[in-house]
Amino acid sequence: MKVLGIDTSCDDTCVAVVEERKILSNEISSQISLHSKFGGVVPDLARKAHKENIDFVLKKALEKARVKMEEVDLIAVTQGPGLSIALGVGIDKAKELAIKFEKKVVGVNHIEAHLLSPWLQNSRGKPERTIPLPALALTVSGGHSSLVVIEEIGKYKVIGESVDDAAGEALDKAAKMLGLGYPGGPILEQLAKTGKKDFLTLPIPMAKDKSYNFSFSGLKTSFYYQIKDWSEEEKGRQLANLASSFQAKVMETLLYKLERAVVEFRPKSLIGTGGVMANQYLRKQLRRRGKDLGLKVYLPYTKKLNTDNAAMIAFAGLQMYKRGITGEDWQKIEREPRMKLI
Ligand code: KG4
Ligand code: ZN
C-alpha cells in the first residue's frame, strides 16, 4: 500500500510517500530561518508559511516517489499534538485531496509516529530489522518527552512524561538564556563538544521521585541562577562549558529514568526517537547503557527521521489502517492540539 503522509504540527511543512516500511520520498520545508529571530516558533507565521509551502512540498514528494496522486491508497495526516492553527493547514489539505481524488484519510498521533520511526526503511528496504517487543522507548522532542512501553505496534503504555518542559524545550530555553539561536538543541550540541560537563554543579531533577516522569524546570532555574550575575564576556568565554554542563544533565536525567524503568518493565529492546535523539551525546550514552543492560538499541536509520517528518506519519497511518481504522469517515477528523498517545 502506498501512503501519503502530511505533517504541519510545528515549524516544518512535511509531505512523504511510504510503501509499507519503505520511504519513497520524505520532503521537508523548514521554517527555521523564519522563526529563529524570535527565539521560538510563532504560530501565526508558521500557519502562513505552511499554507504557502504545502502545495510545492506535496508536488516534490509525489515527484520524488514517482507516484501520482491517483495511485495513493491512503492519506495520513497529523491530527495532534501540535500547534493548533498549524495542524489545521495539513488537515485541510488532506481533506481537499480526499475530495478531489476520492481518498480515505486517517488522523495520526504525532507521538505515535515518532515512536514508530525506527521501523522505517529506505527505498531499497534497508535496514531489515525486526525489533524485539516489548520495547522501552524514550521519545524526546521539542514538544514532548516520554517513556513508553511498546507492547506491540498500536499497543502502548506511557509510563513517564515530562511534568513541565519537554527535553528539547529545556535545551532551547537554555540556549536562549545564553543568547544563542533557535532551535537551541543542535547549537548547544556543537558547543558542548569542547566543554566540560562537570563545569557547573546541576541537579538531576526528580532523582528521588519514584515515578518515571521528568521535570526540567528546576534544572533550568538552577542554571539561570548560577549564571545570572555573570557578564556577557564571561558567559561568552565559558559557552562550551555551560552548554556541556546543561546538555549532559538533561540527557542524564532521561537516561537515569530509562535505566530504572528497564528494571521494572524488563523490555526486550530499547528505542530512541524524537528530535533530541539526533544528539550525538545522547545516542552514544543510550547505546552504552543498552550494552550494559544487554539490550539492543534501535534508533531511526537516518537522523532525518528523528526530527519532524511525514514519513513517520505515513507509516503510523498505515499501521492504523491495518488495525482497522480505514479512514472512511475522514470528514470527522479535527485538529487535537493536546492529543494524548493513549
Ligand atoms: O521532533 P522535533 O523535530 O519536533 C517536535 O516534535 O518538537 O524536535 C525538535 C526539538 C527541538 O527542541 C530541538 O532543539 C531538538 O529537538 N533537537 C536537538 C537536536 N536536534 C534537534 N536537541 C539536541 N541535539 C540535537 N542535535
Ligand atoms: Zn515531533
Side-chain angles (χ1 to χ4, degrees):
M1 259 181 91
K2 291 191 180 78
V3 186
L4 179 84
I6 302 175
D7 182 276
T8 59
S9 61
C10 191
D11 58 346
D12 290 321
T13 314
C14 315
V15 184
V17 181
V18 163
E19 183 168 24
E20 298 302 321
R21 287 172 66 181
K22 289 189 209 137
I23 300 175
L24 305 186
S25 66
N26 194 12
E27 293 303 308
I28 298 172
S29 165
S30 169
Q31 302 176 8
I32 285 181
S33 56
L34 183 68
H35 301 285
S36 58
K37 51 185 172 293
F38 301 101
V41 181
V42 183
D44 218 33
L45 289 181
R47 182 186 61 96
K48 212 167 145 249
H50 284 313
K51 277 191 119 168
E52 277 166 19
N53 296 333
I54 194 153
D55 284 326
F56 176 66
V57 182
L58 169 68
K59 185 166 172 275
K60 251 176 51 184
L62 290 168
E63 272 172 16
K64 267 240 173 97
R66 295 172 188 267
V67 168
K68 291 197 187 73
M69 205 46 230
E70 289 78 5
E71 295 165 324
V72 167
D73 299 297
L74 179 72
I75 299 172
V77 64
T78 303
Q79 194 173 356
L83 295 174
S84 185
I85 55 173
L87 287 165
V89 180
I91 295 173
D92 286 350
K93 183 54 66 183
K95 289 182 176 176
E96 181 192 312
L97 294 171
I99 295 168
K100 195 163 166 201
F101 297 95
E102 292 183 31
K103 303 289 172 191
K104 296 168 191 156
V105 187
V106 290
V108 173
N109 182 307
H110 183 90
I111 305 174
E112 178 178 11
H114 270 301
L115 278 178
L116 300 183
S117 54
W119 272 268
L120 283 161
Q121 300 173 326
N122 67 17
S123 59
R124 294 180 306 284
K126 296 280 179 320
E128 279 178 46
R129 44 169 70 152
T130 305
I131 303 178
L133 298 177
L136 177 65
L138 174 65
T139 172
V140 273
S141 72
H144 37 265
S145 316
S146 20
L147 269 176
V148 180
V149 177
I150 305 179
E151 282 159 3
E152 54 189 70
I153 291 183
K155 202 163 162 212
Y156 313 107
K157 196 185 317 168
V158 179
I159 60 166
E161 279 179 302
S162 178
V163 297
D164 39 53
D165 292 350
E169 199 179 353
L171 293 168
D172 294 342
K173 286 180 180 169
K176 204 171 174 180
M177 279 184 219
L178 296 173
L180 303 168
Y182 174 85
I187 304 174
L188 290 183
E189 175 178 30
Q190 274 313 108
L191 287 165
K193 281 183 181 157
T194 55
K196 295 191 202 78
K197 65 182 165 71
D198 299 321
F199 179 74
L200 291 185
T201 309
L202 293 165
I204 285 208
M206 312 244 307
K208 290 202 183 77
D209 180 272
K210 294 252 181 308
S211 78
Y212 300 106
N213 288 333
F214 312 108
S215 162
F216 295 106
S217 70
L219 178 61
K220 208 177 54 192
T221 311
S222 172
F223 184 70
Y224 170 77
Y225 278 107
Q226 291 197 47
I227 61 169
K228 99 174 165 32
D229 296 326
W230 290 24
S231 67
E232 290 309 312
E233 289 75 27
E234 185 60 9
K235 275 194 227 166
R237 250 196 315 275
Q238 301 296 355
L239 268 185
N241 288 331
L242 294 172
S244 178
S245 302
F246 191 81
Q247 173 183 278
K249 220 37 111 175
V250 169
M251 305 316 184
E252 286 309 318
T253 306
L254 299 169
L255 295 161
Y256 172 78
K257 295 278 177 167
L258 174 116
E259 277 185 309
R260 277 196 25 220
V262 165
V263 178
E264 182 177 341
F265 294 94
R266 309 211 156 274
K268 295 205 174 103
S269 60
L270 298 175
I271 280 178
T273 66
V276 180
M277 261 300 154
N279 186 280
Q280 214 49 50
Y281 176 87
L282 180 59
R283 295 165 81 87
K284 204 167 146 195
Q285 290 299 328
L286 181 60
R287 286 209 173 94
R288 184 171 295 170
R289 309 290 161 106
K291 210 167 169 198
D292 293 347
L293 294 160
L295 294 171
K296 210 161 167 201
V297 174
Y298 294 91
L299 307 172
Y301 80 84
T302 159
K303 274 196 186 174
K304 191 178 171 187
L305 292 174
N306 282 295
T307 42
D308 287 350
N309 65 89
M312 66 179 192
I313 305 299
F315 181 71
L318 175 60
Q319 299 311 309
M320 288 171 72
Y321 185 86
K322 290 185 174 175
R323 303 203 282 272
I325 305 161
T326 53
E328 326 265 352
D329 56 351
W330 55 264
Q331 289 91 343
K332 291 192 197 125
I333 297 175
E334 297 287 349
R335 53 194 171 187
E336 262 192 65
R338 294 179 188 283
M339 195 175 192
K340 290 273 178 207
L341 186 59
I342 42 170

